[in-house]
C-alpha cells in the first residue's frame, strides 16, 4: 500500500519518538513499526475522542463521572490538540448502547464495557500493540493479558479486576462456635452448625440468571475443573465439574444449607443484600460487598475459597475491559489517552475508590503496601494466579447465557448434574465450532 506524504511524516515522527533515534541512526537504514507510544500533543491537528464508560457508583452518585472528568482534564492539559467527550451509562445499558452505536456505524473511539470479543472478531478494534507503549502493555497482569486475547492477539485491555474469596459473617460464626473453613467438608460442617444456631441462610449459592456463570466457575475451579480444558476447548461436563455439582447438590442444597430460595432462583444481588443485612453466614464474595456490609455493621471475615482437600488451587478472576475502535481512525490519539489512563495514579485511584483491583503489576505492588487498601489484600494475593472465564471466545456470550438459565437445575431435587452439564456442554461445543 502506498503511503501519502502526511502518513509518511506521522510514521517517521512516531518511530523517532518511541526509539529515541537520531537522524544519524535513522540513516543506518533501521526501521521499526510501533504504535500509539505517546503524543507530542496536538501535532496531528484538533481531534475529539468519544469515550463511553460504565457507571461503577453503587449508590447512584457521580463518582465515576468525576473520575473521568478529572482524568480528561489532566490529559487535555498535556495534549492540547485532543479533546475527550465522555458518556457514562449504567451497567444495565452500557453494553447494549455501544453495540447499537457500532451497528449504526457510529462507534465510539473508546469503550469501557464488559466484553470485547465480538468486536475483535469483526475487525472493529485496534490491537493492544497498535495503541500502547511497550512498558504499558508489558505491565498488565498475565492472567488478564491472556483473557484479553482473541485468537492470540490482545484486543481487550483490562480496566479493573476482582477475585472472589469466601466471605463470612464474623458475628454469626462466633455465635455458632465455628472457624473459617479451609476444605469443602469443613464448609459443609460450618454451614450445618450455622443452621442449627438459627441462621436462615448458612451458605448463599446464587445460581440464578444474574451471574450463575461466575458462581459456577468458582466452584468448578475449586473442584479442579473449569469451563475449558488445557487446549482451550469447552469441557463443561468434565468429570471434575460433574463431581463438583454432585457435591453441591448432596452436601449443601440437599441438606437445606442454602436458605429458603432455591439456588437456581437466587441472584447475586439478592444474595449480597441478604449478606449485608446479616442474614447469610457465608458466600463467595466480591470486593464491592465489603463497603455495603460495613455500612450496616456487619463484620466480614475473608479467607481463600476452600477446595476439596484444602485451599482451591485457582481462584476465579473477573475483569472489565476498555478498547479502542478503528472506525474514526484516531489510533494515535486513542493510544495517547490509554497510555495516560494506565499510569499508576489513575489505575489506583479508580480501583481504590470502587473497592476493585488494579490491573497492572506496578499498581498492584503499590496497593499491597499502602495501608488504605489493606481490606483488598486478600483479593490481590489470588489475582496473579486466577483464571478468568473464556471471554476471548465469541461463543462465550451465548454459552454464558445458556449457563445462566439452566445450570441451577443441576442442584434441584430432581436434577441430575451429569445430564444438565452435558446438555450445556454439547451446546457450548456447537457454538464453539460455529465461531
Amino acid at each position: 500500500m502506498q503511503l501519502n506524504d502526511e502518513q509518511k511524516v506521522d510514521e517517521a515522527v512516531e518511530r523517532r519518538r518511541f526509539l529515541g533515534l537520531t537522524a544519524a541512526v535513522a540513516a543506518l537504514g533501521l526501521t521499526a513499526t510501533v504504535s500509539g507510544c505517546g503524543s507530542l500533543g496536538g501535532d496531528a491537528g484538533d481531534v475529539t475522542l468519544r469515550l463511553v464508560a460504565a457507571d461503577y457508583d453503587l449508590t447512584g452518585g457521580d463518582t465515576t463521572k468525576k473520575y473521568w472528568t478529572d482524568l480528561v482534564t489532566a490529559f487535555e492539559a498535556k495534549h492540547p490538540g485532543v479533546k475527550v467527550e465522555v458518556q457514562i451509562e449504567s451497567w444495565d445499558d452500557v453494553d447494549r448502547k455501544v453495540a447499537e452505536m457500532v451497528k449504526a456505524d457510529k462507534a465510539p473511539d473508546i469503550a469501557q464495557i464488559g466484553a470485547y470479543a465480538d468486536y475483535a472478531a469483526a475487525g472493529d478494534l485496534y490491537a493492544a500493540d497498535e495503541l500502547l507503549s511497550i512498558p504499558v502493555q508489558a505491565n498488565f497482569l498475565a492472567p488478564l493479558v491472556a483473557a484479553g486475547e482473541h485468537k492470540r492477539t490482545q484486543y481487550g485491555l483490562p480496566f479493573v479486576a476482582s477475585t472472589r474469596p469466601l466471605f463470612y459473617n464474623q458475628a454469626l460464626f462466633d455465635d455458632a462456635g465455628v472457624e473459617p473453613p479451609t476444605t469443602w467438608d469443613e464448609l459443609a460442617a460450618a454451614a450445618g452448625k450455622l443452621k442449627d444456631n438459627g441462621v436462615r441462610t448458612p451458605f448463599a449459592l446464587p445460581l440464578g440468571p444474574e451471574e450463575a456463570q461466575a458462581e459456577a466457575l468458582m466452584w468448578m475451579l475449586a473442584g479442579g475443573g473449569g469451563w475449558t480444558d488445557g487446549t482451550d476447548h469447552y469441557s463443561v461436563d468434565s468429570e471434575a465439574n460433574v463431581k463438583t455439582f454432585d457435591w453441591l447438590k448432596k452436601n449443601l442444597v440437599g441438606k437445606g444449607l442454602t436458605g429458603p430460595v432455591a439456588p437456581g432462583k437466587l441472584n447475586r444481588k439478592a444474595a449480597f443484600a441478604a449478606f449485608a443485612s446479616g442474614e447469610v453466614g457465608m458466600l463467595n464474595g466480591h470486593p464491592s460487598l465489603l463497603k455495603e456490609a460495613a455500612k450496616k455493621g456487619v463484620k466480614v471475615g475473608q479467607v481463600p475459597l476452600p477446595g476439596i482437600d484444602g485451599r482451591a488451587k485457582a481462584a476465579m478472576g473477573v475483569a472489565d475491559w476498555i478498547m479502542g475502535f478503528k472506525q474514526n481512525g484516531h489510533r494515535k490519539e486513542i493510544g495517547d489517552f490509554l497510555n495516560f489512563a494506565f499510569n499508576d495514579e489513575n489505575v489506583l485511584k479508580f480501583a481504590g475508590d470502587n473497592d476493585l483491583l488494579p490491573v497492572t503489576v506496578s499498581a498492584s505492588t503499590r496497593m499491597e503496601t499502602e495501608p488504605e487498601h489493606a481490606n483488598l489484600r486478600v483479593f490481590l494475593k489470588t489475582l496473579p494466579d486466577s483464571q478468568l472465564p473464556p471471554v476471548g471466545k465469541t461463543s462465550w456470550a451465548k454459552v454464558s447465557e445458556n449457563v445462566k438459565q439452566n445450570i441451577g437445575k443441576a442442584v434441584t431435587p430432581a436434577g441430575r448434574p451429569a445430564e444438565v452439564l452435558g446438555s450445556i456442554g454439547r451446546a457450548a461445543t456447537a457454538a464453539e465450532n460455529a465461531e
Side-chain angles (χ1 to χ4, degrees), residues 237 241-242 245-246 249 409-411 415-422:
D237 57 343
N241 290 344
V242 171
F245 275 82
D246 279 335
K249 179 182 176 182
K409 298 173 184 176
V411 295
R416 296 178 181 270
E419 291 182 3
V420 174
L421 293 176

Side-chain angles (χ1 to χ4, degrees), residues 205 207 242-258 263 408-418:
L205 184 65
L207 292 174
V242 171
K243 285 183 177 179
T244 292
F245 275 82
D246 279 335
W247 187 90
L248 286 171
K249 179 182 176 182
K250 177 182 178 182
N251 295 282
L252 288 186
V253 184
K255 293 183 178 180
L257 301 177
T258 53
K409 298 173 184 176
V411 295
T412 61
R416 296 178 181 270

Side-chain angles (χ1 to χ4, degrees), residues 136-200:
V136 169
Q137 190 176 0
N139 198 23
F140 291 128
L141 292 163
L144 306 181
V145 173
E149 292 180 347
H150 174 72
K151 295 185 176 180
R152 301 190 179 184
T153 297
Q154 185 183 2
Y155 295 94
L157 313 180
F159 182 67
V160 284
S162 69
T163 58
R164 307 286 175 86
L166 180 73
F167 283 7
Y168 60 93
N169 183 311
Q170 185 68 65
L172 296 181
F173 265 53
D174 291 345
D175 288 345
V178 294
E179 296 295 325
T182 60
T183 68
W184 282 0
D185 286 345
E186 290 178 4
L187 187 150
K193 289 182 179 180
L194 290 167
K195 181 181 179 182
D196 292 342
N197 206 44
V199 177
R200 191 166 181 251

Side-chain angles (χ1 to χ4, degrees), residues 194-242:
L194 290 167
K195 181 181 179 182
D196 292 342
N197 206 44
V199 177
R200 191 166 181 251
T201 303
F203 191 98
L205 184 65
L207 292 174
E210 180 187 356
E211 207 192 25
Q213 84 288 355
E215 183 73 20
L217 179 57
M218 286 182 263
W219 285 99
M220 288 175 171
L221 291 173
W227 290 123
T228 56
D229 60 20
T231 63
D232 199 36
H233 293 297
Y234 287 113
S235 58
V236 179
D237 57 343
S238 68
E239 181 180 358
N241 290 344
V242 171

Side-chain angles (χ1 to χ4, degrees), residues 2 7 11 67 70 109 117 134 138 148 153 168 170 183 211 220 229 234 250 264 279 343 345 360 363 397:
Q2 191 71 28
Q7 289 172 317
E11 184 181 69
Y67 170 82
D70 291 346
D109 296 286
I134 290 176
T153 297
Y168 60 93
Q170 185 68 65
T183 68
E211 207 192 25
M220 288 175 171
D229 60 20
Y234 287 113
K250 177 182 178 182
E279 302 169 14
N343 74 45
E345 297 304 325
T360 63

Side-chain angles (χ1 to χ4, degrees), residues 115-122 125 150 391-394:
Y116 69 87
D118 286 348
Y119 302 121
L125 302 180
H150 174 72
V391 292
K393 292 179 175 289
T394 55

